[in-house]
Amino acid sequence: MAGTDARHEHPREVGVRPKATVVLDGFGVLESLRWHDDALWFCDLAQGTVHRWDTHGKPETVLDVPGRAGGLGWLPDGRMLVVSMDGRRVYRREPDGSLAVHADLGDIAGGPVNDMFVDECGRAYVGNFGFDYHGFVRRRPNSMLYEPPGPPRAPIACYSPEGELLGLSDPLVFPNGLFLTDGGRTMLVAETLAMRLTALPVLPDGRLGEPRPWAPLIGPWLWKSLNRPGPLGRITRRVSALLDHQAVADRSSTPVAPDGIAPGRDGTVWVANALRGECVRVGPGGTVLDRVATSQRTLSCLVAGPRGDTLYAATTPTDDPQRAARLKGARLEAYVLPS
């Protein structure tokens, strides 16, 4: 897992996208990129570990998490919160290094617990798959999830800094990456399987209000056809199953399946595209403003670094944790954004 320096890679001709540079490799499934205390933190979902990297040399393994590490965050006093995906809970790392259960989602989560955002007050917003996603796609193409009535939905759970449940959002379609915007008044959420970004108002007590569309990342005709019953829906789902073949997905520019998301400049959002090797910067309404190519499917992204000008991307040949643990092909990639 050797580290290298990221450099600008500008396109040499019109239509050629800038490309990120691999800076770390040899992981299972990298996710949940965070910048904290002058270092990049991330999880390996396949190995169940949390890592810290100061952007030089080798990363440090900070923590082994029972039930596969997921989303990351920190309380105002500096204690780490980390998701246990299969344990369906959030752990709190105490000053002595021990883990305490901060929140239990056993009665809420219909599938593995997923990403998490912790605000400056210490409130934790935690999503979940809603069902056994990997169990499904090991048997059938991903596109068959849209056969009516469609994939199960799941809420985002909001917890107080003490770990008490404050409330649940309306059910969403595979809520994934999320962050606060609009001065903390709005939560943006990636609904991965709905291929859209959704905005939810933050209520005075921290709960999330009624969701509204922020950026669709699939054409309206294709989305409608993908979810239709009858012959047209069946044909659309069979054709869309070709995107499960990476060579086909890599030659497409749409749709975008948002996994991790991160703030971009001027109110835009960087999106890690789980369908193909790229990070995409989008504006309200879904307008694509920039694309940065990566070497593999991208699950998390973040603009950070010592100067705050580097787009980091967590990439993987597969998000199936069982296969990924054997392959150890996940990478951290970086691209220095032009000033």
Side-chain angles (χ1 to χ4, degrees):
M1 294 185 289
T4 60
D5 291 329
R7 300 185 302 273
H8 289 293
E9 293 195 17
H10 295 292
R12 296 185 179 182
E13 58 184 352
V14 175
V16 177
R17 291 178 293 170
K19 187 173 182 180
T21 300
V22 176
V23 292
L24 296 173
D25 60 13
F27 296 92
V29 180
L30 289 190
E31 255 281 18
S32 304
L33 299 180
R34 307 285 190 265
W35 187 261
H36 178 72
D37 281 349
D38 300 320
L40 187 69
W41 296 67
F42 49 87
C43 294
D44 187 333
L45 309 192
Q47 306 296 339
T49 48
V50 177
H51 302 267
R52 178 187 182 276
W53 185 49
D54 64 4
T55 73
H56 302 287
K58 294 184 178 180
E60 171 191 3
T61 301
V62 175
L63 189 63
D64 288 281
V65 179
R68 295 197 301 127
L72 278 176
W74 286 265
L75 294 169
D77 63 9
R79 288 178 296 172
M80 178 196 298
L81 299 183
V82 59
V83 161
S84 169
M85 299 184 71
D86 296 333
R88 302 189 187 186
R89 56 184 52 174
V90 176
Y91 283 111
R92 184 180 63 248
R93 190 187 191 212
E94 300 294 2
D96 64 0
S98 64
L99 292 178
V101 175
H102 186 75
D104 192 326
L105 287 86
D107 294 331
I108 296 170
V113 178
N114 200 11
D115 214 339
M116 173 177 66
F117 180 84
V118 181
D119 71 12
E120 62 183 15
C121 298
R123 290 181 297 227
Y125 297 85
V126 192
N128 75 91
F129 287 16
F131 66 107
D132 182 4
Y133 170 78
H134 289 111
F136 183 96
V137 297
R138 286 172 189 144
R139 301 188 308 270
R140 303 182 67 193
N142 181 84
S143 61
M144 297 307 164
L145 283 165
Y146 299 98
E147 184 176 358
R153 296 181 175 230
I156 295 172
C158 175
Y159 290 93
S160 74
E162 296 73 35
E164 297 177 359
L165 181 65
L166 297 176
L168 303 175
S169 75
D170 287 357
L172 303 171
V173 185
F174 207 98
N176 210 328
L178 65 170
F179 67 84
L180 286 175
T181 187
D182 190 28
R185 294 186 293 271
T186 303
M187 183 71 76
L188 281 184
V189 181
E191 289 188 86
T192 302
L193 293 180
M195 289 172 277
R196 66 187 174 214
L197 304 183
T198 298
L200 298 90
V202 179
L203 304 178
D205 62 0
R207 293 179 300 114
L208 298 176
E210 185 176 354
R212 60 176 174 83
W214 194 85
L217 300 173
I218 183 174
W221 183 89
L222 178 56
W223 178 246
K224 183 179 293 187
S225 299
L226 192 62
N227 289 275
R228 287 189 62 154
L232 178 59
R234 288 194 294 271
I235 292 170
T236 303
R237 289 187 286 275
R238 287 171 185 164
V239 172
S240 297
L242 294 172
L243 290 173
D244 287 354
H245 300 282
Q246 200 59 53
V248 176
D250 288 343
R251 287 168 172 78
S252 307
S253 60
T254 185
V256 172
D259 196 313
I261 58 174
R265 66 177 185 269
D266 302 325
T268 62
V269 178
W270 280 102
V271 175
N273 189 353
L275 284 179
R276 64 186 66 86
E278 64 178 357
C279 294
V280 182
R281 189 169 69 92
V282 301
T287 302
V288 174
L289 303 169
D290 288 302
R291 294 179 187 265
V292 173
T294 61
S295 66
Q296 307 177 105
R297 297 166 59 187
T298 309
L299 303 185
S300 184
C301 62
L302 181 68
V303 179
R307 295 184 298 273
D309 62 352
T310 302
L311 174 66
Y312 291 102
T315 73
T316 183
T318 175
D319 61 8
D320 185 309
Q322 295 179 8
R323 289 187 58 213
R326 296 192 300 269
L327 291 173
K328 295 185 178 179
R331 300 165 178 161
L332 179 68
E333 307 188 27
Y335 173 71
V336 179
L337 296 167
S339 56

